[in-house]
Amino acid sequence: MTDVAPISGLRGTYAQVEGDPCSRPLPGVLCVQGTDELLVDVALRHLSRCEGWYRRASRIVCVGQDDHDKPSIVPVSASRFAARLSSIVRWQKIDSEGETKEISCPGPIAAAAYTNGDWPELPALVSVSDVPVFRPDGSLWQTPGYDAITRTYYVPGIKLEPIPDNIDAALANDCLSEVVDVLCDMFFERDEMRYVPAAAIMGLISQQAAWPSPAFVFSASQPGTGKGTILQVINEIALGRAMVPFHFPLARPDDKRESDREEEQEKRLAQAAASGTRVLNLDNIPNGSWFGGPIFDRVVVAEDSVQLRQLGRNDGMIEFPWRCTFLVSGNHIHVLNDSRRRCLECVLVATCANPSMRPLSGFKYPDLRFGYCLKNRARLLWCCFVVLAHHAQKGGKATHERPDLANFERFQRFVCDAIVRAGGMDPTSCILTSEDTLTGDDQLVGCAMRALEKLGAHATGQFPEGVTATMFAEYVWSKEWSDSLKDNRPCLQDSAIAEAREVFTLNWRLHPSKRPAAKSISSRLGDLCGRVLHGAQIWPVDDPNGFQASEWRIAQHVDRKNQPRYTVVPPRKK
């Protein structure tokens, strides 16, 4: 900044202006015809004097504010770039009278420097934050401005109490309990799932140290259980703003234009990465939707950056810094097989017929959806920082025996182990896995065998001659199941059949809320015939008929009406 200079046209009114002509360096840069390339090099070298400008994804950006007064990444326009070059370099030319005259930066020079795509004099910018930034070594960057280690710009947006230097276990436990208690009126399928929202909050405020982060999937069997409220709480505490929904094209079982959908997914993610978005809120996705896919699998495990095609451009791939956490909510969400191990699942359960009608007077925090977390954000953030800092002060080592979370080891060590050290339960136990110990075609065969055994399609069962594809479909996709979807309530059905239905739907890409046709099931069951599996792989727990001790296969017969029937039989003896 230079001394005050008058604003043109306003007598007596002054403003601080940057790059006053008197402060530009001497000697000047003489613009001579035929030296354009040298002049562009001069302009690029002088970019080091552009304080507050950074390079990001082949663009020049600066730090600004969004409509909520939160720090944001703003691209620098070509006109502003040319104006800045005119203010930091003393451009000159020789006029017709032979005298040296100062001019603005020539348009072609500014345009060539702006589109250069490589500005080594400018520091790289990955993200902006309104809270202190955790570094990979566990230290906390609390100085406003740019941190070269994390490539993050810190703009203080909230005043936090000082973080103690020596945090004891009791304080960390009290802080974790205070954060978890915010959602005490929500009911979860398992106790470990209560710590998944806290893990999402801590993962967002420590993205630079705990990246990459898994996706967080909040699902339920009916609306009104609080999935949207959880996303709102996470956004208000971690980002200090209301949740902003993100549209992400989802997979469909009957999708005949899968390549077009994936291209649209890629361009939308590129748009989010270019703007520096830190969280992608996929709130209330349609009932029974599919989530995941190749594009999601690729970006969610990205260590630092991803290559994506940008919206409106088809000239190639652009490398974007990637710090976007997925938050997904919906009823009866189906996660594709390859995407399951990249998601932490939190299942909410209903305690009454219509949970959305519960009176607010019965809640411990009745104003939870009306700004409670924003009003108490400073306290809740401080509690999260205490939990993370306590673990970092103890060396950041694993607190208990647990398998490493593939692709997300840093998140596991920095966030999940911090929660366990503070007295909580391990959120990584909520990682989605295959329902069966088998994989691929063996998993399909095993689930089909279990369903046939439940139907009694075996030598000692109710249908020793076998069952038709219609009977199989009506049993797995029962009327009770279809009615539960219509009424948005849980389906009271055998867990083995529910698991089989889920596996069939995922692997055969069936419609998640419709019973498949018998002809379709018959052709698919026919493809599974002949494969031999040991009983211990298929009936690991419940084994009413002693099936574990031998091997089995699916056999196909033809009845008197020339209809195929299916049974579970021992393999043929040689």
Side-chain angles (χ1 to χ4, degrees):
M1 289 289 182
T2 62
D3 296 334
V4 294
I7 298 178
S8 175
L10 297 178
R11 181 177 299 176
T13 306
Y14 296 88
Q16 294 283 351
V17 298
E18 200 167 9
D20 184 63
C22 297
S23 67
R24 290 182 294 183
L26 287 172
V29 178
L30 185 62
C31 298
V32 180
Q33 188 174 5
T35 61
D36 288 5
E37 186 174 357
L38 295 176
L39 295 176
V40 171
D41 291 339
V42 171
L44 293 175
R45 287 199 302 270
H46 279 80
L47 287 181
S48 60
R49 302 184 61 223
C50 296
E51 295 185 7
W53 281 13
Y54 305 91
R55 53 185 167 88
R56 189 178 193 276
S58 301
R59 297 194 304 177
I60 297 177
V61 299
C62 62
V63 178
Q65 286 186 329
D66 59 16
D67 295 339
H68 303 275
D69 295 330
K70 297 297 179 183
S72 63
I73 297 176
V74 180
V76 174
S77 63
S79 57
R80 185 181 178 188
F81 180 82
R84 178 65 73 91
L85 283 183
S86 298
S87 66
I88 62 174
V89 181
R90 191 181 294 270
W91 303 96
Q92 299 174 340
K93 76 171 184 177
I94 299 177
D95 60 13
S96 58
E97 298 178 357
E99 295 183 358
T100 301
K101 180 182 177 181
E102 293 194 5
I103 60 172
S104 299
C105 178
I109 305 303
Y114 182 74
T115 58
N116 185 63
D118 181 25
W119 306 278
E121 299 296 332
L122 296 178
L125 181 66
V126 170
S127 180
V128 294
S129 176
D130 69 335
V131 298
V133 180
F134 271 107
R135 289 173 167 175
D137 61 357
S139 60
L140 193 61
W141 171 265
Q142 304 184 66
T143 304
Y146 179 75
D147 178 27
I149 295 179
T150 59
R151 296 170 293 167
T152 302
Y153 197 95
Y154 169 42
V155 182
I158 190 169
K159 186 176 181 181
L160 299 177
E161 298 179 18
I163 307 298
D165 293 331
N166 296 305
I167 302 172
D168 57 18
L171 177 59
N173 181 261
D174 292 342
C175 289
L176 178 62
S177 300
E178 189 170 341
V179 174
V180 173
D181 188 62
V182 172
L183 298 173
C184 63
D185 293 307
M186 308 293 175
F187 297 91
F188 300 89
E189 188 177 68
R190 290 162 33 209
D191 291 339
E192 298 91 338
M193 294 180 176
R194 187 168 296 279
Y195 295 90
V196 173
I201 297 171
M202 296 181 193
L204 281 170
I205 65 176
S206 62
Q207 276 186 333
Q208 307 308 322
W211 194 256
S213 168
F216 298 87
V217 178
F218 301 92
S219 64
S221 59
Q222 64 183 102
T225 52
K227 305 177 297 297
T229 301
I230 291 180
L231 263 63
Q232 184 79 2
V233 166
I234 294 173
N235 280 266
E236 289 183 352
I237 297 177
L239 305 181
R241 56 179 297 176
M243 176 186 60
V244 179
F246 178 79
H247 176 64
F248 188 70
L250 299 173
R252 297 189 301 274
D254 54 350
D255 196 350
K256 298 180 181 178
R257 302 182 63 183
E258 185 174 357
S259 60
D260 294 342
R261 176 182 56 78
E262 291 179 356
E263 183 178 350
E264 182 68 15
Q265 285 183 346
E266 186 174 9
K267 291 184 177 181
R268 289 187 180 274
L269 292 177
Q271 192 173 9
S275 62
T277 302
R278 295 177 56 197
V279 60
L280 303 177
N281 298 292
L282 280 65
D283 182 37
N284 198 26
I285 63 177
N287 189 3
S289 294
W290 297 64
F291 175 71
I295 303 298
F296 166 79
D297 295 343
R298 176 158 57 94
V299 301
V300 76
V301 298
E303 294 280 342
D304 185 66
S305 59
V306 292
Q307 286 189 337
L308 298 169
R309 285 174 290 186
Q310 194 168 12
L311 188 66
R313 295 180 58 178
N314 295 312
D315 54 351
M317 308 290 284
I318 300 177
E319 186 171 344
F320 295 92
W322 182 255
R323 295 294 187 278
C324 298
T325 300
F326 286 86
L327 301 180
V328 187
S329 72
N331 297 321
H332 303 285
I333 299 177
H334 299 276
V335 182
L336 296 174
N337 273 347
D338 290 341
S339 304
R340 295 181 65 83
R341 58 190 179 90
R342 295 172 171 89
C343 300
L344 287 178
E345 184 186 40
C346 182
V347 180
L348 287 88
V349 296
T351 57
C352 57
N354 194 349
S356 61
M357 299 300 294
R358 287 187 297 170
L360 293 178
S361 58
F363 286 73
K364 183 176 181 179
Y365 304 103
D367 57 342
L368 189 60
R369 287 193 61 88
F370 306 102
Y372 171 82
C373 293
L374 291 177
K375 296 175 186 176
N376 299 274
R377 186 184 180 221
R379 174 64 185 178
L380 294 172
L381 270 179
W382 182 81
C383 290
C384 292
F385 275 105
V386 167
V387 172
L388 294 172
H390 171 246
H391 181 58
Q393 291 174 6
K394 300 299 182 181
K397 298 181 180 180
T399 55
H400 60 295
E401 292 291 334
R402 80 285 190 276
D404 288 337
L405 191 60
N407 299 315
F408 308 110
E409 292 86 353
R410 281 196 288 268
F411 177 85
Q412 185 180 25
R413 289 197 299 265
F414 202 89
V415 175
C416 299
D417 288 350
I419 292 176
V420 175
R421 187 182 291 276
M425 304 182 76
D426 191 357
T428 57
S429 61
C430 302
I431 198 77
L432 279 173
T433 57
S434 297
E435 292 84 359
D436 213 279
T437 55
L438 302 174
T439 58
D441 289 343
D442 286 345
Q443 185 183 25
L444 285 169
V445 175
C447 289
M449 286 183 180
R450 295 200 71 175
L452 291 171
E453 184 264 334
K454 293 286 183 182
L455 265 168
H458 52 86
T460 59
Q462 183 180 0
F463 302 102
E465 74 282 359
V467 296
T468 63
T470 301
M471 297 169 63
F472 186 90
E474 290 177 351
Y475 182 70
V476 177
W477 291 270
S478 62
K479 187 177 184 301
E480 167 66 23
W481 166 78
S482 61
D483 291 342
S484 68
L485 291 181
K486 296 177 183 178
D487 301 336
N488 282 316
R489 58 178 175 81
C491 178
L492 303 177
Q493 195 176 19
D494 187 277
S495 60
I497 301 303
E499 291 175 3
R501 182 174 58 247
E502 183 79 11
V503 171
F504 295 149
T505 303
L506 290 173
N507 287 271
W508 289 342
R509 299 190 68 79
L510 304 174
H511 197 288
S513 57
K514 292 183 180 179
R515 178 188 297 165
K519 185 176 181 181
S520 173
I521 292 298
S522 180
S523 63
R524 288 179 166 91
L525 285 177
D527 294 339
L528 302 180
C529 292
R531 190 183 300 270
V532 178
L533 292 179
H534 196 275
Q537 296 176 281
I538 310 163
W539 293 274
V541 180
D542 52 331
D543 183 27
N545 299 298
F547 280 20
Q548 281 188 329
S550 58
E551 295 180 331
W552 298 90
R553 66 179 178 87
I554 300 176
Q556 180 176 327
H557 316 278
V558 178
D559 61 14
R560 297 176 181 177
K561 297 181 179 180
N562 203 31
Q563 283 188 335
R565 289 179 175 266
Y566 304 93
T567 56
V568 180
V569 298
R572 299 186 183 93
K573 296 182 179 179
K574 296 181 180 180

